[in-house]
Amino acid sequence: MITIGLALPHYDGFFPNPGVTGSHRTRRALSYAQRAEQAGLHQLWVSDHLWLDVAPQDRRRSPDCWTLLAAIAATTRRIRLGSLVTPASLREPALLVHQIATVADFAGERLDIGLGAGWNAVEFAAAGRRFSAAADRLADVERTAALIRTELGPTAPPVWVGGKRSGILSVAARIADGWNLAWDPTPAGYWQRLARLNAAQPSAREAAPILRSVGLTTVIGTDEDDLHQRWTRLRRWVPGGHLDGLSFEAWRKRGLIGTPDEVHSRLTAWESLGVDHVVCALGMPFGLFDDEQIDLLAAAARRAGATTTAKPLTQEERYGTA
């Protein structure tokens, strides 16, 4: 059964009110995490960057990924949560594993760890970290995953690896519990990369198949007119003018964009391709232009049979008391 996750909004101005920044941004992200849980979504995913540059001279900052995940874990009970994805080389490995272990204390079995090789040299420099050659960063992904499993032992959360290039696909094939491909792959593009993943997978892993997820831009309109109205609002809202020059018909071919019937059809198609989980970006990755989209997404998930499956924590599990 396919499950549905939300790319949680948490960058400056990535909310229906673009003026939400700083500490208000962090509190708003927590409120949307709770709303997503109440709506019945399966999972929340948090991006791990210091900032995103959406246009020249337009830098949008973010709360720290693992601090935010700790806060989400402490204020929710059922929904799964994870990073999408943490650049393995961006922190000292021992520090990262310590952060992960703390979040796991709050989240219990609800945590997933997404790892990647990282791509933003400027960000690495700002964090005081060396942006090494690709081969070294790929090796860091493997070393970090091994350290997580060693330090956290049999309770270690699942490790997901995100990416689409041959090097990271080879790493995922060797060490990952799950693999994510984002954003907005076509079915043909997904199959092409899946073939590379499978070709690199050791025969010893056949008994433990890798879970698969895709990240898809998602906008749901209640009907054709409503979808067109939401498109008009989204174009005005999206930072950096990234939808300027794109037609409505070209835009709606992306990801999970359409009426409820269209979204259901696309979810069914992805499930038939063997996708286990879909990460939905409501308008843009880690943004939200319209509060109602969370409820419309939850309704689409229920229609597809994709409901929350995370086990609630008992009070004793959560706080260590009876």
Side-chain angles (χ1 to χ4, degrees):
M1 177 184 296
I2 201 166
T3 56
I4 304 297
L6 171 64
L8 185 71
H10 56 83
Y11 287 91
D12 283 340
F14 279 27
F15 300 94
N17 175 1
V20 174
T21 61
S23 62
H24 297 290
R25 160 205 65 203
T26 304
R27 289 194 290 270
R28 185 64 63 87
L30 280 176
S31 72
Y32 281 124
Q34 293 157 9
R35 180 168 179 166
E37 178 175 66
Q38 293 165 3
L41 296 180
H42 179 81
Q43 187 143 11
L44 296 166
W45 296 95
V46 173
S47 168
D48 195 352
H49 288 290
L50 305 182
W51 64 72
L52 287 180
D53 289 330
V54 299
Q57 310 303 316
D58 189 358
R59 176 166 288 179
R60 307 299 180 91
R61 296 190 176 274
S62 169
D64 174 70
C65 171
W66 286 96
T67 306
L68 180 56
L69 284 170
I72 295 169
T75 55
T76 59
R77 292 184 60 83
R78 299 178 302 278
I79 199 164
R80 294 192 67 83
L81 55 149
S83 60
L84 192 72
V85 289
T86 288
S89 308
L90 190 60
R91 299 172 181 83
E92 288 289 344
L95 172 62
L96 176 58
V97 173
H98 187 63
Q99 291 176 300
I100 290 170
T102 302
V103 176
D105 286 344
F106 284 113
E109 297 179 355
R110 296 185 293 144
L111 180 63
D112 290 292
I113 304 164
L115 294 178
W119 54 269
N120 191 335
V122 175
E123 181 180 42
F124 272 62
R129 300 288 291 166
R130 179 172 174 265
F131 189 74
S132 55
D136 294 329
R137 286 181 283 117
L138 290 170
D140 282 344
V141 175
E142 296 201 55
R143 283 192 289 265
T144 300
L147 184 60
I148 289 167
R149 288 164 174 153
T150 298
E151 294 297 319
L152 275 67
T155 62
V159 172
W160 291 71
V161 171
K164 60 185 179 181
R165 298 184 184 277
S166 296
I168 198 68
L169 290 174
S170 295
V171 171
R174 290 192 295 272
I175 62 100
D177 299 300
W179 164 60
N180 173 262
L181 179 62
W183 292 95
D184 294 334
T186 64
Y190 164 78
W191 270 117
Q192 182 184 51
R193 289 170 175 84
L194 179 62
R196 294 179 190 171
L197 181 76
N198 289 337
Q201 189 168 326
S203 58
R205 292 217 50 173
E206 291 178 359
I210 299 172
L211 295 171
R212 310 171 195 167
S213 72
V214 292
L216 302 176
T217 300
T218 303
V219 177
I220 304 172
T222 56
D223 55 30
E224 285 291 328
D225 288 342
D226 183 61
L227 181 65
H228 206 287
Q229 290 172 13
R230 292 179 196 268
W231 151 252
T232 301
R233 297 203 327 259
L234 177 64
R235 287 188 68 190
R236 291 196 299 263
W237 173 89
V238 71
H242 288 292
L243 296 180
D244 292 351
L246 187 68
S247 71
F248 171 74
E249 289 303 328
W251 167 77
R252 75 179 301 173
K253 293 178 181 178
R254 296 180 174 182
L256 291 178
I257 296 174
T259 64
D261 285 344
E262 288 175 300
V263 169
H264 180 261
S265 176
R266 293 188 196 181
L267 280 174
T268 301
W270 282 111
E271 186 172 17
S272 72
L273 294 177
V275 170
D276 301 287
H277 181 71
V278 174
V279 183
C280 294
L282 297 182
M284 65 176 292
F286 305 101
L288 177 66
F289 77 103
D290 176 355
D291 284 354
E292 191 181 8
Q293 288 297 300
I294 292 178
D295 302 315
L296 290 170
L297 176 61
R302 288 191 294 271
R303 182 177 176 186
T307 56
T308 297
T309 58
K311 179 183 177 183
L313 297 177
T314 66
Q315 184 177 7
E316 183 176 5
E317 290 170 330
R318 195 173 184 186
Y319 301 108
T321 59

